[in-house]
Amino acid sequence: MNPVATVLRALGGGGLPRTYWVLWVGTFVNRLGSFVAPFLALYLTRERGFSIEQAGFIVALNGAGAVLAAPLGGMLADRVGRRLTLAGGLWLGSGAMLLIGHSETPGRIAVAAFLLGILGDLYRPAVSAAVADLVPPQDRARAYGLLYWVINLGFAIALPLAGLLAGMGYRLLFIADAVTTFLYGCCVWAFVPETRPPEARAAHAEHSPLGAVLTPFRDSVYLAFCLPVFALALLFHQSFMSLPVTLTQQGLTPAQYGLVMSVNGVLIVALQPFVVRGVGRVRRSTALAVAGVLTAVGFGLHALPATVPLAMAAVAVWTLGEIVHSPVAPSVVADLAPAELRGSYQGAYHMMWGLASSVAPALGGAMLGHVGATALWAGCFCVGLAAAAWHLTIAGARRRRVETLRLERPEMSASLD
């Protein structure tokens, strides 16, 4: 028996097209070298001697670039194609990594960080659009789930490797990240054909670049879906700032916080392929509602006095919500998007997450400072439940949209919603 096929079946990936697996393997290689993002602040403060305020400003510039990259990358994926956007974005991103690693002055580093945010994330909507092109609707949740899983697996391996490289010199982080990113681009150029449907290329000619970017934001059904997605993204991003502050204020040490947060990565790597199989058997609106409830309960538990076991249990609960949500949401985006605007719709979806990563720290910090941790986490509980209820409320309108698009696109097969 072919050992590769055996592994793919064990992961729940049997039956997915070869080109999808090329993207999957390339994503894994790229994430193995994801060294810059988690160590950028440390590099700026320790290696370059920047103040915390300066480092925070530069990291924020990088995040702002990533927000802009989402709609830009989506528009390019629809206009010039998935293959060119993927490979070109990855190659440009690798160049931006080398630029920031070799920049000396604060001004040049700030410009390089902003460019890295834009160029380094251009490829993401193109990957999501390519998956929608390649994989039939009934298999998309599984495909997106396995892609999310391998991203987290690669990142989990990359973090300790990054720590070792940083000990030998921070510049190595930028070089290694640039090399893996460049190799992913080469992999795409050599083995991934253009996946954009021919009819979509002709239809997209009717849209101007600005019109393609704005169309998702004029789509009331799509915006209604993005609202709870954005709400849950705000909750997930509380884990990067508000949660460590809360747990340390409640007496946990940095080492204990690291132990608590390790639950997130371990559960995603261990459970994602198996949960995806179960998620594929229920309506997507139900799965999204379950994700909202789990996220609400998990973050709500952080309102209780912290102990290591309780904090780990809370992280485990909201991680299950993340595992359920991650494969379903992009598959819904793929079904709501007209074929000629799949990249733009995926770009708008990624933009929601980018905006949440920018808003969540400020919002969480303001609530911690003015109303306290208990109110913050109780508020997270209410927001998560509201998002779950909203997903069920809009399910009918979303289902009607998918049915309408299915009549216009007879190649679509049945999918649960």
Side-chain angles (χ1 to χ4, degrees), residues 164-179:
L164 292 174
L165 285 176
M168 295 182 283
Y170 278 93
R171 186 162 290 178
L172 285 175
L173 296 178
F174 296 94
I175 295 173
D177 202 337
V179 168

Side-chain angles (χ1 to χ4, degrees), residues 3-372:
V4 176
T6 302
V7 172
L8 296 184
R9 278 196 294 272
L11 292 174
L16 296 175
R18 173 187 173 276
T19 303
Y20 167 83
W21 289 111
V22 173
L23 292 171
W24 189 86
V25 172
T27 298
F28 180 61
V29 171
N30 186 40
R31 297 303 289 183
L32 282 177
S34 297
F35 301 146
V36 170
F39 280 80
L40 181 57
L42 288 177
Y43 166 74
L44 294 172
T45 53
R46 294 187 179 183
E47 186 78 2
R48 293 299 181 190
F50 287 10
S51 67
I52 294 176
E53 291 80 6
Q54 288 175 314
F57 175 72
I58 290 174
V59 172
L61 279 177
N62 181 256
V67 171
L68 295 176
L72 178 60
M75 183 272 292
L76 289 173
D78 289 331
R79 183 158 292 271
V80 304
R82 322 307 193 210
R83 182 170 177 256
L84 183 57
T85 303
L86 264 169
L90 290 163
W91 290 334
L92 290 171
S94 67
M97 287 172 196
L98 293 177
L99 178 63
I100 191 174
H102 290 79
S103 296
E104 302 288 342
T105 65
R108 290 180 180 177
I109 291 176
V111 171
F114 182 67
L115 288 175
L116 178 60
I118 294 179
L119 301 176
D121 276 7
L122 274 181
Y123 76 95
R124 295 182 188 276
V127 172
S128 298
V131 172
D133 296 336
L134 293 164
V135 179
Q138 70 272 16
D139 291 329
R140 282 178 187 156
R142 185 161 55 101
Y144 285 119
L146 290 172
L147 195 64
Y148 187 79
W149 176 76
V150 82
I151 287 171
N152 282 275
L153 177 63
F155 193 66
I157 298 172
L159 282 177
L161 290 177
L164 292 174
L165 285 176
M168 295 182 283
Y170 278 93
R171 186 162 290 178
L172 285 175
L173 296 178
F174 296 94
I175 295 173
D177 202 337
V179 168
T180 57
T181 302
F182 185 82
L183 288 176
Y184 186 15
C186 293
C187 178
V188 168
W189 195 255
F191 301 111
V192 176
E194 178 55 55
T195 65
R196 187 173 42 152
E199 62 275 13
R201 304 179 197 185
H204 191 270
E206 302 174 5
H207 300 273
S208 67
L210 181 60
V213 170
L214 294 179
T215 296
F217 300 100
R218 297 168 176 162
D219 185 335
S220 59
V221 175
Y222 178 75
L223 287 180
F225 169 73
C226 282
L227 179 62
V229 167
F230 180 71
L232 289 184
L234 285 176
L235 302 194
F236 288 127
H237 282 291
Q238 296 302 324
S239 63
F240 298 113
M241 200 284 288
S242 299
L243 184 56
V245 170
T246 297
L247 294 181
T248 53
Q249 286 178 344
Q250 294 180 339
L252 269 64
T253 66
Q256 289 173 322
Y257 168 71
L259 178 63
V260 167
M261 288 305 298
S262 69
V263 172
N264 176 258
V266 169
L267 285 184
I268 290 174
V269 172
L271 299 181
Q272 181 87 52
F274 306 101
V275 172
V276 167
R277 298 181 190 179
V279 166
R281 300 189 184 100
V282 301
R283 286 193 179 276
R284 293 182 298 183
S285 54
T286 302
L288 290 168
V290 169
V293 171
L294 289 170
T295 305
V297 172
F299 281 103
L301 286 172
H302 290 303
L304 301 176
T307 62
V308 171
L310 177 61
M312 292 177 75
V315 171
V317 174
W318 61 253
T319 297
L320 289 174
E322 181 182 357
I323 290 172
V324 173
H325 185 272
S326 60
V328 178
S331 72
V332 173
V333 174
D335 278 3
L336 289 177
E340 71 273 13
L341 292 175
R342 280 174 179 161
S344 295
Y345 273 67
Q346 292 290 349
Y349 172 74
H350 284 282
M351 188 177 180
M352 293 297 106
W353 285 89
L355 286 174
S357 70
S358 301
V359 173
L363 182 61
M367 291 192 69
L368 283 175
H370 290 89
V371 297

